């Protein structure tokens, strides 16, 4: 298959986009880390959903500690505790992923494979730690996963996490592709703001925690790559089957019609 005109690269978010990692992955792993540290704190699904507005696991924990009377008062102690919990959380997360608890979202692998055969380049722009990305993609794509994604920008690589555009700016510059030649695939309002801030058109695959959030400025929003039905704007044809590279290229070609969808 030849490369669709104008579309040179796909830049993927990880959490919520490549996989539903948050509820059964990061949240569960945080609770295990709280337990390891003898802390009585537990994040239920609803509380974690609210906390997801803070990007970055350690930053999320620091934010949550502001409301806890039993969190350390001294800033350096609070910071050290957050680092310790977060390190432990990432180890638990890795184990959960390696135990097969987190699947890739349907339609992801098929689109990645299509990009590879069509010469559309692949990158990652995420605020997650590198160890989490390596664990997830190692399990699902094998030890050579980094041969598939030629650029991988993670939380450690940026000074400012999403919604700041830095991760996308860095990914685009490492790819050597102008932002308008790429499409970002995202699931959250913060991720969309980050990609748009870098000038990159965005396709949104709704994830469970951001199902109903208003999202502005995407070139397309829909339920996931598994289905051609239910997208705004609607795809031409029957709506049967999964979202293909030709569908992404179709939205990319229409990118001047950027809109907001409820
Ligand atoms: C992902 C995040 C991350 C993950 C946890 O946001 O905010 O913090 O929740 O990973 P996005 P870490 O999908 O917008 O990149 O604990 O490694 O931060
Ligand atoms: Mg995300």
């Amino acid at each position: 298959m030849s490369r669709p005109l104008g579309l040179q690269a796909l830049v993927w978010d990880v959490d919520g986009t490549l996989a539903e990692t948050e509820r059964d992955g990061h949240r569960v792993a945080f609770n295990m880390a709280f337990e390891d540290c003898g802390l009585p704190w537990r994040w239920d699904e609803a509380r974690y959903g609210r906390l997801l507005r803070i990007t970055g696991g350690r930053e999320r924990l620091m934010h949550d500690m502001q409301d806890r009377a039993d969190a350390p008062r001294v800033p350096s102690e609070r910071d050290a505790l957050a680092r310790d919990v977060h390190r432990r959380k990432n180890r638990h997360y890795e184990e959960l992923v390696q135990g097969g608890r987190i699947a890739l979202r349907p339609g992801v692998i098929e689109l990645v494979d299509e990009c590879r055969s069509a010469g559309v380049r692949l990158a990652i722009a995420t605020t997650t730690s590198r160890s989490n990305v390596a664990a997830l993609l190692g399990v699902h794509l094998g030890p050579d996963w980094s041969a598939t994604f030629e650029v991988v920008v993670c939380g450690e690589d940026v000074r400012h996490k999403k919604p700041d555009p830095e991760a996308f700016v860095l990914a685009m510059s490492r790819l050597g592709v102008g932002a308008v030649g790429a499409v970002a695939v995202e699931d959250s309002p913060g991720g969309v703001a980050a990609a748009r801030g870098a000038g990159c058109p965005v396709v949104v695959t709704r994830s469970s925690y951001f199902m109903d959030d208003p999202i502005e400025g995407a070139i397309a929003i829909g339920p996931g790559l598994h289905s051609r039905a239910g997208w705004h704007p609607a795809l031409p044809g029957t709506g049967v089957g999964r979202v293909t590279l030709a569908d992404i290229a179709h939205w990319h070609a229409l990118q001047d019609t950027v809109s907001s969808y409820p």
Side-chain angles (χ1 to χ4, degrees):
M1 190 210 241
S2 61
R3 183 163 65 77
L5 209 63
L7 179 60
Q8 297 173 60
L10 242 57
V11 184
W12 296 79
D13 170 48
V14 175
D15 296 296
T17 301
L18 287 180
E20 287 277 11
T21 55
E22 298 290 5
R23 190 192 63 191
D24 301 328
H26 293 295
R27 184 188 68 87
V28 172
F30 265 115
N31 287 337
M32 290 167 141
F34 294 148
E35 186 158 4
D36 289 349
C37 295
L39 295 163
W41 311 338
R42 297 293 180 271
W43 285 343
D44 64 21
E45 290 177 21
R47 183 175 188 131
Y48 192 69
R50 292 191 293 278
L51 286 169
L52 276 181
R53 272 65 193 166
I54 312 294
T55 50
R58 193 175 53 78
E59 292 83 349
R60 187 170 301 141
L61 177 56
M62 289 291 281
H63 175 86
D64 191 57
M65 281 198 275
Q66 287 170 14
D67 297 332
R68 298 211 182 255
D70 55 348
R73 289 265 152 266
V74 180
S76 60
E77 287 175 18
R78 184 175 291 205
D79 195 62
L81 178 61
R83 282 179 197 283
D84 184 30
V85 170
H86 189 242
R87 216 173 12 247
R88 289 169 188 271
K89 184 280 286 184
N90 279 351
R91 277 206 295 271
H92 284 300
Y93 176 83
E94 228 174 292
E95 283 163 18
L96 291 170
V97 167
Q98 280 162 359
R101 284 280 290 270
I102 309 289
L104 293 185
R105 291 185 64 181
V108 165
I109 281 288
E110 292 86 343
L111 185 57
V112 163
D113 285 346
E114 261 194 293
C115 287
R116 294 186 71 180
S117 27
V120 171
R121 297 163 70 198
L122 294 162
I124 282 175
T126 176
T127 55
T128 300
S129 313
R130 186 168 294 272
S131 63
N132 300 333
V133 178
L136 184 74
L137 294 181
V139 163
H140 293 292
L141 301 182
D144 286 342
W145 66 268
S146 54
T148 297
F149 292 94
E150 63 179 286
V151 167
V152 181
V153 175
C154 300
E156 295 93 330
D157 303 324
V158 293
R159 270 190 307 167
H160 304 291
K161 295 185 176 175
K162 299 174 190 176
D164 191 283
E166 191 178 346
F168 283 99
V169 170
L170 192 56
M172 304 307 308
S173 102
R174 287 187 182 165
L175 277 174
V177 168
V180 290
V183 163
V185 190
E186 267 290 351
D187 71 303
S188 68
V192 172
R196 291 202 69 212
C200 189
V202 197
V203 168
V204 176
T205 56
R206 290 274 191 194
S207 63
S208 55
Y209 270 122
F210 297 106
M211 199 55 83
D212 302 315
D213 287 52
I215 293 185
E216 295 206 353
I219 59 168
I221 300 187
L225 297 171
H226 62 288
S227 166
R228 294 186 81 245
W231 285 84
H232 303 279
L235 284 164
T238 60
V240 172
R242 65 173 179 87
V243 173
T244 64
L245 183 55
D247 295 328
I248 304 281
H250 167 79
W251 286 319
H252 182 253
L254 296 178
Q255 65 183 280
D256 287 343
T257 58
V258 166
S259 305
S260 62
Y261 299 103

